[in-house]
Amino acid sequence: MSAGPKKPNKTLLLDRETCISCAGCVGTCPDLALDMFGVDLQVFQDKCTYCTICVRFCPVGALSIVKGTPTSPIVA
Amino acid sequence: MPASRTYDVVVIGAGPSGSLCARNLAARGYHVLLAEKRPVVGVPVRCGEATGRRSRLSNFMKVNEAYIETDLNGVILNGPGGVSIRYDKEDIGLMIDRRLFDQDVARQAQAAGAELCVNTRIEGISPVKDGVRELAIVDEASKTASTITARLVVGADGVEALSGRWVGLKTRQLPPQVCSAIELRVDAMDVNPNHLTFWQGHDSINKGYVWVFPKLKSGVVNLGSGVLTPKLGEKNMYDLSMEYKNRLFPDAKVVEVHGGAVPVSGNLTEFVADRFVLCGDAAHHTNPLTGGGIISGILGGELASRWIDAGFRNGDLSRSFLVQYQVDCWEQFGKHHHRQMSIRDFVVELPLPTQTAFYRIFKDMVDADLSLPSKLVGYARMLGLAAGNWKAAKKAFIK
Ligand SMILES: Cc1cc2nc3c(=O)[nH]c(=O)nc-3n(C[C@H](O)[C@H](O)[C@H](O)COP(=O)(O)OP(=O)(O)OC[C@H]3O[C@@H](n4cnc5c(N)ncnc54)[C@H](O)[C@@H]3O)c2cc1C
Ligand code: SF4
Ligand code: SF4
């Protein structure tokens, strides 16, 4: 990761109960911040720029962007 | 784990496109690895499972009755303003079981001599060095990492399409030209069990469609919907599909829910690099009007295998040689897809009354069995309609 601009105070939230592991969002992300491991979607918060594309894409509405930095335990 | 460290060709992804490409190359004597990250080929099925007719499929392989679900005899298209178009014609296509189908094609690749490794995820591809590319692989079962080399890499990794991005190609699914789709497998049978039924237009969903595809042998229907990437806060496809399910099959059980992305941008402009080619969904070979990608993915895999073979025989696997594969794809289906995309864009741009008029014209043509006079009259009326909606026509057809 290059030393980019300071991260905004946001988190991409994945609702694992709702996610159906379709992997569709992976190919839409401009920053390679999503990847599918088996049925587990991984969100790499450090790469995410909160562009909302995956949020728009998700066919079940499992993704959202909320205020606040990812806390531990990591939100997604 | 792959048995060797070096291969002539490594194909990433055992979907129909990758398996077919691997099969052809192995049959020509190349040392081929077919790497699939899933534990079982073809599972889960993220597909409506409708495809072209038997004769089309048999251009590429011996059709196996085991995966045939339904012989399709027609299409019902429900447009806006209550215009319903019914087209009856024997043998217009097939419903297949994608799990069995994908496994059948992967087995063909194995039978031809390709090494199929499941649970094998490719994680990265190096630039070309000393005539090979190095691939980082992870065994998903044991989580062990290793590297292998290939003289050429085929990215057939579907919509996720990360392999192209690793080598610097612009394969990202760019909104809005990617469909957000949901599919429900419903334990019910449709009243028209040999027809594909669609809903499209301002009254149902404008920038996409809802479908009901019956799988006769299994006694279920695939009910789904897909739309060009919606805006924030617009209705999602799961909710829309459930509305249709509750209306059409109120008492039936939903046995499976799947979703996914469908690339509907038309062929990418660049899908080859030095010692690297993409085929299938990864190259956006999917039909941008229908979202169908099984046959075009297979055709992409077939053409890729021919040009890769030609490249090996010519001792030239550079980008400048492999570009011929891109041109071939454009000639064989890309051009056609581009035209279909224009028609799609025109129809969705029309306001409700004009869109209804468009469907009426189409219905008149179909009701006259698409006879030559009905087509001539129909096209003339459509031209008139396009002239009256010059802005939409210009946007769709003059790009
Ligand atoms: C909801 C929905 C409905 C559809 N309905 C239809 C339809 O009715 N008719 C039709 O013709 N088409 C339909 N399509 C499109 C069709 O499913 C695809 O076009 C088709 O599957 C493309 O085949 P492919 O071989 O290119 O890719 P895929 O079938 O997606 O195969 C890609 C494979 O690559 C593997 N892979 C990915 N990354 C890696 C990696 N890093 N390492 C190893 N393996 C990897 C994946 O696990 C996968 O098995 C639909 C799509 C969706 C989402
Ligand atoms: S919000 Fe944008 S950058 Fe972040 S994961 Fe989604 S698509 Fe990627
Ligand atoms: S698009 Fe939505 S349902 Fe599909 S994998 Fe991503 S978060 Fe899960």
Side-chain angles (χ1 to χ4, degrees), chain B residues 118-148:
Chain B
V118 292
N119 265 326
T120 304
R121 164 201 288 271
I122 307 294
E123 287 222 308
I125 305 170
S126 77
V128 178
K129 208 181 139 210
D130 302 328
V132 293
R133 282 186 185 269
E134 203 171 75
L135 295 101
I137 71 172
V138 172
D139 181 298
E140 294 276 72
S142 64
K143 294 290 169 204
T144 42
S146 58
T147 57
I148 52 172

Side-chain angles (χ1 to χ4, degrees), chain B residues 207-220:
Chain B
K207 294 193 172 177
Y209 63 79
V210 180
W211 67 82
V212 168
F213 296 171
K215 285 175 80 174
L216 259 187
K217 203 194 275 172
S218 305
V220 295

